[in-house]
Amino acid sequence: AGDITTTNDLISFATAATLTGDLSMTAGSGGVTFSSTLEGTGAGTEDLSLSAAGGTITLSGALGATTRLGDLTFASAATVNTGAITASSIIQQAGTGTTTFGGALNTNDAAAIGIDLTGTNFTFNGAVTTTGVGTVEVTNSGTLTTAAAADMSLAGTFTQNGAGSNSLAGDI
């Protein structure tokens, strides 16, 4: 698949999309929006990297619900809002605002990572399931929040190692 880069302009997909290979999207402050579902073609084989430094990444539809995505990386964003995600792993390398996972998260990385998040504020509103190695690590400078519905069933360890606070309602 071909990468997409803009100069602080929005990258937007209004209808369902399917990854046919690894893909990187960089939008600066313009943001990235998927308004519908996003699927892979081979279970866990297509990686997706999204970057919107100073912008918003919005993933409204389910990701990988029918065919699991590979590694999903949020390279940088001010704000991230997602629905349900099924991927090999979920990684956020940097974030300056709030990342809200609005739906269930499911990862199955057999190597080293389930979910690895670095940023300011993180909110989990749906269940989190990891298999494989299945670790979850959150490095937050703001608040880590888990809703009552955000119970975590993990195959590996859970580590919160940032200087931020925690507001926990879901079971870990």
Side-chain angles (χ1 to χ4, degrees), residues 83-94:
I85 299 172
T86 302
S88 292
S89 67
I90 301 168
I91 302 161
Q92 181 167 324
Q93 297 170 333

Side-chain angles (χ1 to χ4, degrees), residues 42-131:
T45 60
E46 292 87 21
D47 298 339
L48 177 62
S49 177
L50 303 173
S51 180
T56 299
I57 296 172
T58 302
L59 308 173
S60 299
L63 271 67
T66 302
T67 304
R68 180 182 297 274
L69 299 181
D71 299 326
L72 174 62
T73 301
F74 301 108
S76 179
T79 303
V80 177
N81 295 301
T82 79
I85 299 172
T86 302
S88 292
S89 67
I90 301 168
I91 302 161
Q92 181 167 324
Q93 297 170 333
T96 57
T98 299
T99 296
T100 302
F101 296 104
L105 305 180
N106 182 298
T107 66
N108 72 344
D109 191 344
I113 300 170
I115 299 172
D116 186 2
L117 307 173
T118 300
T120 305
N121 301 301
F122 294 98
T123 300
F124 293 88
N125 288 326
V128 177
T129 303
T130 66
T131 57

